[in-house]
C-alpha cells in the first residue's frame, strides 16, 4: 500500500508541477499544439504536406478535445496537458474499479493503480504530456469496463468508446479483435452491439 501510494503521489506531484510549463516537455507537443491551433482558426487538420505545415497522421479526436479546453483555459500547452492528465486520472479510476470488482479487495485495487503510476517514468513519462496516447488508453479501458457489464446496451456503449479510441489513435484496432470475438462467443447479441 505504501509503495502504491508513493508511486501515485510521485506521479501526481510531477504532473501537477509541470502541467503549466509554457514550453515543450516532449518533442511531439509542439506539433500537437499546431494541430489544436489550426482547429481553433478553422483550418483543416489534414492537407497536402508543405514546407509550412505537415499534418500528424493521427485522427482528430484528441485535438478536438484539446481545442475545446483551449477555448476555456486559453491557447498553449496547458489545454493539451489537461486533457492527457484528466485521461490519466480516468485510467487510475478505471483500473481501481476493474480490479476491485474482480478481486473485491481495495488493497489489490490500490496496488494496481500504484503499479500503473509506477510505470510513468519507465514508459517514457507521457501520461501527462500533450499527445494522444493517454486518451487512447482511457477510452480503451472505459470500453473494456463497459463490456464487463454483460448487457447489450453496455456492449453498444463499449463499442462507441472503442470507436472513439480509433478516432484518437489508429493503433486502437490492435486491442479490439479479442474482446469482439469473446463477446460473439459468449452472446452474439452483445458481440453485434459491440462490433456495430
Amino acid at each position: 500500500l505504501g509503495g502504491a501510494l508513493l508511486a501515485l503521489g510521485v506521479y501526481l506531484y510531477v504532473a501537477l508541477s509541470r502541467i503549466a510549463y509554457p514550453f515543450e516537455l516532449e518533442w511531439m507537443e509542439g506539433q500537437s499544439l499546431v494541430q489544436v491551433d489550426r482547429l481553433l482558426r478553422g483550418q483543416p487538420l489534414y492537407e497536402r504536406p508543405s514546407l509550412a505545415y505537415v499534418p500528424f497522421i493521427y485522427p482528430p479526436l484528441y485535438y478536438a478535445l484539446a481545442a475545446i479546453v483551449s477555448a476555456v483555459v486559453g491557447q498553449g500547452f496547458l489545454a493539451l496537458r489537461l486533457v492527457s492528465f484528466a485521461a490519466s486520472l480516468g485510467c487510475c479510476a478505471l483500473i481501481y474499479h476493474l480490479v476491485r470488482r474482480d478481486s473485491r479487495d481495495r488493497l489489490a485495487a490500490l496496488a494496481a493503480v500504484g503499479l500503473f503510476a509506477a510505470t510513468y517514468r519507465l514508459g517514457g513519462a507521457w501520461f501527462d504530456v500533450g499527445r494522444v496516447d493517454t486518451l487512447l488508453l482511457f477510452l480503451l479501458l472505459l470500453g473494456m469496463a463497459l463490456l464487463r457489464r454483460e448487457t447489450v446496451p453496455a456492449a453498444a456503449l463499449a463499442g462507441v468508446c472503442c470507436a472513439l479510441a480509433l478516432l484518437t489513435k489508429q493503433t486502437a484496432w490492435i486491442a479490439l479483435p479479442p474482446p469482439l470475438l469473446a463477446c460473439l462467443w459468449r452472446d452474439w447479441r452483445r458481440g453485434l452491439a459491440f462490433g456495430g
Side-chain angles (χ1 to χ4, degrees), residues 146-164:
L146 286 166
L147 273 181
R148 299 287 308 198
R149 294 182 183 240
E150 298 190 10
T151 66
V152 171
L157 283 174
V160 169
C161 289
C162 291
L164 291 173

Side-chain angles (χ1 to χ4, degrees), residues 78-166:
L78 177 62
L80 283 78
R81 293 178 191 148
L82 282 172
V83 171
S84 293
F85 182 64
S88 74
L89 294 180
C91 288
C92 289
L94 287 166
I95 290 167
Y96 180 87
H97 167 74
L98 288 167
V99 173
R100 185 166 189 285
R101 179 182 171 186
D102 286 350
S103 70
R104 301 198 185 287
D105 185 347
R106 288 186 179 131
L107 183 59
L110 283 172
V113 171
L115 184 61
F116 173 72
T119 66
Y120 173 65
R121 180 68 188 114
L122 293 172
W126 52 264
F127 292 174
D128 62 326
V129 297
R131 50 186 290 170
V132 300
D133 304 281
T134 310
L135 182 61
L136 163 75
L137 184 59
F138 169 72
L139 290 168
L140 285 176
L141 278 172
L142 182 58
M144 297 308 108
L146 286 166
L147 273 181
R148 299 287 308 198
R149 294 182 183 240
E150 298 190 10
T151 66
V152 171
L157 283 174
V160 169
C161 289
C162 291
L164 291 173
L166 284 165

